[in-house]
Amino acid sequence: MKKLINSVDSVVADALRGMASAHPGLLRVDEENRIVSRASGPRAGKVGLVSGGGSGHEPLHAGFVGYGMLDAACPGEIFTSPVPDQMITAATAVNGGAGVLYVVKNYTGDVLNFELAAELCADEGVEVARVLVDDDVAVRDSLHTAGRRGTGATVFVEKIAGAAAEGGAPLPEVVRVAEEVNARSRSFGVALSACTTPASGRPTFELGETEIELGIGIHGEPGRTRSTMRQARELVAVAMDALDEDMPISGDVLVMLNGMGATPLIELYVAFAEVAEYLSGKGARAARSLVGDYVTSLDMRGFSVTVCLLNEELTRLWDAPVETPALRWGR
Amino acid sequence: MKKLINSVDSVVADALRGMASAHPGLLRVDEENRIVSRASGPRAGKVGLVSGGGSGHEPLHAGFVGYGMLDAACPGEIFTSPVPDQMITAATAVNGGAGVLYVVKNYTGDVLNFELAAELCADEGVEVARVLVDDDVAVRDSLHTAGRRGTGATVFVEKIAGAAAEGGAPLPEVVRVAEEVNARSRSFGVALSACTTPASGRPTFELGETEIELGIGIHGEPGRTRSTMRQARELVAVAMDALDEDMPISGDVLVMLNGMGATPLIELYVAFAEVAEYLSGKGARAARSLVGDYVTSLDMRGFSVTVCLLNEELTRLWDAPVETPALRWGR
């Protein structure tokens, strides 16, 4: 296992030091409590947005902290939920008096910990709501999940709900927007290779020379089926068919063609061309899009595609200014 | 070889279709002539900036086309220089009457083709200047190079000279700025794995389980030496020592910690933390920074670090608004 790290135990702490050094104008890193928050601090009267989850999915979540998106992120160890203490400290730190929204990917550990944290926050007088992201259509229940897994739509929820909060929407309104984004979003992933966690040093599963996994989870959880390698066009069709079957795709859509961490950008653009053609065949259109690494699985090769059926409100909120390490426009 | 492509022969064309679909507001892709240019077209009186080179280094160069940076990019086949016809067509297309600057990475094929193109442009009455980027300190002459290779500093030259051009600087002034950025910039790369071109289907070189290549080129050209895998801290020290030996590092620097295409972002941040500490030990500071995949080598694992010694002018031009697929701020 060749990884660009100092030691298996210090990966997350070292990466957070790196984020702090790379983005001093945007981020503050509380190394002790392991919280990444906006350098500008909380804004009075604004709903605070907090997310978090296991590390290994960078830039998710800490890379989405900043104006127009998250107020704070709580990174856990690699592929491991953060603990309630982090979530409570984060909520308290970002609370501007208008309450806090936890954006929670649907994995059992995250769900329980964010739930406990929300209850303890309420005891301390901080109003906390939660939105559950469960966009992955590949499997109904999974290794770490009751119900669908939360994957790519997390980026859309954080961006769009973040814009609503930045615009002064009260907590119930931010919750409504976040839930609407999740309801209108679906994802499907394909692995060309497994990933290797630093702690284990071995691939999380084995794929043969020509084998791929359709419907892969972001921690390498099994998908729907193994298959043999095919053209990008065919793999995209498998993914898009799965999305369309679950939620018919039409009109203007927001698309994220996401790399899993070790997929060259040129290949992601090849796949995006096929997504655009697929949409065109459905009378739909990629009105807004992201192509790149946004929700990764360490060094996994492969891609996921996430679509969100846009409406006027969501489009406006997507287009609103954002300034984070990983997404930045309009400022 | 599992690659997310349709066919070996169509990779570049398919990726360009993907770029066109993903960034319709920013880019126009001339598929026939294989040129990526700004959707907004040329601006009268502005110096045009054109770059290009082999594909496989995405987002370089087409991902840097847009306001404040390049006017057009000419992608060649993978790891293969574009041809003079592309360069001439691009220069003619973006010429706003104030001349054109070719940003050329120092590889023999690129140098010759851009030189020929510049001569033919002059015959047609389009004034074209060239700047050669040769920032890689690893080796003096290389597989495809007389003199140093051009790598990461290309991003700095394109951004900073692009800002100068956007601000209305005349051609000699844009050339001066571009040359100054190159003169103040140095790079060094480390490979943890080789890359595999679609055409060959095999790694460009072999590295053992614990072997790495220090001073790697962006096409997998040999570096200074093979070594055994070490901590991120030690690898960064090797790279930074090489830069510092060639050009003493002090004061405010612009740093790019660049992933080679298949290096997880969490590892790049781990490495960046070490770069920041190294700089601090030299009394220097990463005043501006990029962490991510900017000049890649297909699916190579590893990183490169590029530093540019800033001054007031270069800092101002770096901070100026930019709006491209891969770099975007202030707009």
Side-chain angles (χ1 to χ4, degrees):
Chain A
M1 176 189 68
K2 281 183 281 190
K3 287 188 181 291
L4 189 58
I5 61 176
N6 292 315
S7 78
V8 166
D9 295 332
S10 69
V11 176
V12 175
D14 287 348
L16 290 177
R17 280 193 301 124
M19 291 203 80
S21 306
H23 311 291
L26 295 177
L27 304 181
R28 285 286 171 275
V29 176
D30 176 344
E31 293 186 29
E32 194 190 330
N33 294 305
R34 202 161 278 194
I35 292 162
V36 179
S37 58
R38 295 190 194 185
S40 57
R43 182 155 67 82
K46 189 187 94 66
V47 169
L49 247 73
V50 172
S51 191
S55 292
H57 306 301
E58 291 68 25
L60 192 78
H61 294 273
F64 299 123
V65 171
Y67 182 90
M69 218 162 161
L70 296 178
D71 289 272
C74 309
E77 283 299 318
I78 286 176
F79 293 176
T80 304
S81 174
V83 295
D85 272 357
Q86 285 170 274
M87 301 160 179
I88 295 164
T89 308
T92 310
V94 309
N95 183 27
V100 172
L101 176 64
Y102 282 158
V103 179
V104 185
K105 300 198 300 303
N106 190 30
Y107 298 98
T108 309
D110 298 72
V111 171
L112 292 175
N113 287 337
F114 271 110
E115 186 177 5
L116 182 57
E119 283 167 13
L120 293 169
C121 282
D123 293 347
E124 291 178 27
V126 178
E127 190 185 2
V128 174
R130 280 169 299 144
V131 60
L132 199 67
V133 182
D134 60 348
D135 54 310
D136 185 345
V137 305
V139 291
R140 187 124 290 274
D141 297 306
S142 174
L143 212 54
H144 312 295
T145 322
R148 287 174 165 175
R149 302 176 295 217
T151 59
T154 315
V155 178
F156 296 171
V157 171
E158 292 177 0
K159 169 65 185 82
I160 291 174
E166 207 68 63
L171 186 55
E173 183 66 8
V174 177
V175 170
R176 178 190 67 75
V177 167
E179 285 175 345
E180 182 156 10
V181 174
N182 183 58
R184 287 167 167 270
S185 297
R186 299 290 188 277
S187 293
F188 191 91
V190 175
L192 276 55
S193 82
C195 56
T196 299
T197 63
S200 86
R202 279 193 303 270
T204 50
F205 57 95
E206 291 295 335
L207 279 178
E209 272 296 299
T210 61
E211 248 185 341
I212 58 173
E213 176 89 21
L214 300 172
I216 191 74
I218 59 172
H219 312 93
E221 309 96 303
R224 287 187 175 180
T225 178
R226 290 278 164 97
S227 175
T228 52
M229 187 59 193
R230 312 181 211 170
Q231 286 188 323
R233 183 172 298 128
E234 296 170 72
L235 295 180
V236 165
V238 168
M240 296 300 290
D241 281 345
L243 304 186
D244 186 57
E245 210 164 276
D246 197 88
M247 176 187 72
I249 300 171
S250 65
D252 278 3
V253 298
L254 166 60
V255 182
M256 180 168 72
L257 197 296
N258 174 61
M260 293 300 209
T263 316
L265 186 56
I266 192 170
E267 297 182 26
L268 299 182
Y269 276 116
V270 167
F272 189 83
E274 302 307 328
V275 171
E277 288 218 351
Y278 184 100
L279 290 172
S280 169
K282 293 276 173 191
R285 179 176 82 105
R288 301 289 185 278
S289 58
L290 294 178
V291 180
D293 285 6
Y294 294 99
V295 182
T296 60
S297 304
L298 293 170
D299 56 350
M300 186 184 283
R301 299 187 61 157
F303 72 99
S304 64
V305 56
T306 304
V307 302
C308 173
L309 304 182
L310 287 168
N311 61 21
E312 205 178 315
E313 180 188 36
L314 300 191
T315 306
R316 180 176 50 78
L317 292 169
W318 178 260
D319 288 342
V322 61
E323 188 175 13
T324 72
L327 277 193
R328 190 167 173 177
W329 56 73
R331 267 170 78 96
Chain B
M1 177 190 66
K2 284 184 279 190
K3 287 188 182 290
L4 189 58
I5 61 176
N6 292 316
S7 78
V8 167
D9 295 333
S10 69
V11 177
V12 174
D14 287 348
L16 290 177
R17 280 194 301 124
M19 291 203 80
S21 306
H23 311 292
L26 295 177
L27 304 182
R28 285 288 170 275
V29 176
D30 176 344
E31 293 186 28
E32 194 189 331
N33 294 304
R34 202 159 280 195
I35 291 162
V36 179
S37 58
R38 295 190 194 185
S40 57
R43 182 156 66 82
K46 190 187 94 63
V47 169
L49 247 73
V50 173
S51 192
S55 293
H57 306 299
E58 292 66 29
L60 193 77
H61 296 271
F64 299 121
V65 171
Y67 182 89
M69 220 162 160
L70 296 179
D71 290 271
C74 310
E77 283 300 317
I78 287 178
F79 294 175
T80 304
S81 175
V83 296
D85 272 356
Q86 286 171 274
M87 301 161 179
I88 295 164
T89 308
T92 310
V94 308
N95 183 25
V100 171
L101 176 64
Y102 282 158
V103 179
V104 185
K105 299 197 300 304
N106 190 30
Y107 298 97
T108 308
D110 298 73
V111 171
L112 292 176
N113 287 336
F114 273 110
E115 186 176 5
L116 182 58
E119 283 166 14
L120 293 169
C121 282
D123 293 348
E124 291 179 28
V126 179
E127 191 186 2
V128 174
R130 281 170 297 144
V131 59
L132 199 67
V133 182
D134 61 348
D135 53 312
D136 185 345
V137 303
V139 290
R140 187 124 289 276
D141 296 307
S142 175
L143 212 53
H144 312 296
T145 323
R148 288 176 163 173
R149 301 176 297 218
T151 60
T154 316
V155 178
F156 296 171
V157 170
E158 292 177 0
K159 168 65 185 82
I160 292 174
E166 206 68 63
L171 186 55
E173 183 66 7
V174 177
V175 170
R176 179 191 65 77
V177 166
E179 285 175 345
E180 182 155 9
V181 174
N182 183 57
R184 288 167 167 268
S185 297
R186 299 290 188 279
S187 293
F188 190 92
V190 175
L192 276 55
S193 82
C195 56
T196 299
T197 63
S200 87
R202 277 192 306 269
T204 50
F205 56 96
E206 292 295 336
L207 279 178
E209 272 297 300
T210 62
E211 248 184 341
I212 59 175
E213 177 90 20
L214 300 172
I216 191 74
I218 60 173
H219 312 92
E221 309 96 303
R224 286 187 177 179
T225 178
R226 289 279 164 96
S227 176
T228 52
M229 187 59 192
R230 311 181 212 170
Q231 287 189 320
R233 182 172 300 128
E234 296 170 72
L235 295 179
V236 164
V238 168
M240 297 300 290
D241 280 346
L243 305 186
D244 186 57
E245 209 164 277
D246 197 88
M247 177 187 72
I249 301 171
S250 65
D252 279 4
V253 299
L254 166 60
V255 182
M256 181 168 73
L257 197 295
N258 173 61
M260 294 299 209
T263 316
L265 186 55
I266 192 171
E267 298 183 26
L268 299 182
Y269 276 116
V270 167
F272 188 82
E274 302 307 328
V275 170
E277 288 219 352
Y278 184 99
L279 289 173
S280 168
K282 293 276 174 192
R285 181 175 79 107
R288 300 290 185 277
S289 58
L290 294 177
V291 180
D293 285 6
Y294 294 98
V295 182
T296 60
S297 302
L298 294 170
D299 57 351
M300 187 184 284
R301 300 188 60 159
F303 72 100
S304 64
V305 56
T306 304
V307 301
C308 173
L309 304 182
L310 288 168
N311 62 20
E312 206 179 313
E313 180 188 38
L314 300 191
T315 305
R316 179 176 52 75
L317 293 169
W318 178 259
D319 288 343
V322 61
E323 187 174 14
T324 71
L327 277 193
R328 188 167 172 177
W329 56 73
R331 269 170 78 96

